[in-house]
Amino acid sequence: MSFKHLPLLGTAEIIGTLNLSPKQTAAAANLAHRVAQSAWRRRPPHKSGQTYADFAATVTDCAWLTMFEVGALLTLGRHRDARLLTEASRLAHQPTHAGQSR
């Protein structure tokens, strides 16, 4: 388990709010890093020379916390809440396209 890229204050708040055990905390942190590693492996060809450490450093604090919280919710068996959080995050971070009408 690595907390290297997880923002400590936000992570601690999630741990406290969800009352996570050390084992659940480790599982959530591992899930966040597996998701980031998966994204790194799927990066575009023009970024193929980028190391995982460089890539992970560019992931926003908000994204790290969202991945951690989704992992924590899954660990707690709260699959519906994890899915809703994932969908809300996707909607909030969708790139907008010029000229697109809503």
Side-chain angles (χ1 to χ4, degrees), residues 10-60:
T11 302
E13 184 176 331
I14 293 168
I15 292 167
T17 299
L18 296 176
N19 196 28
L20 298 176
S21 70
K23 186 175 180 178
Q24 292 165 329
T25 300
N30 285 333
L31 185 125
H33 284 283
R34 284 195 316 266
V35 169
Q37 287 171 341
S38 178
W40 173 71
R41 285 191 299 273
R42 295 178 181 164
R43 68 196 179 283
H46 71 277
K47 292 187 176 183
S48 64
Q50 189 179 39
T51 66
Y52 173 71
D54 291 339
F55 175 83
T58 67
V59 175
T60 65

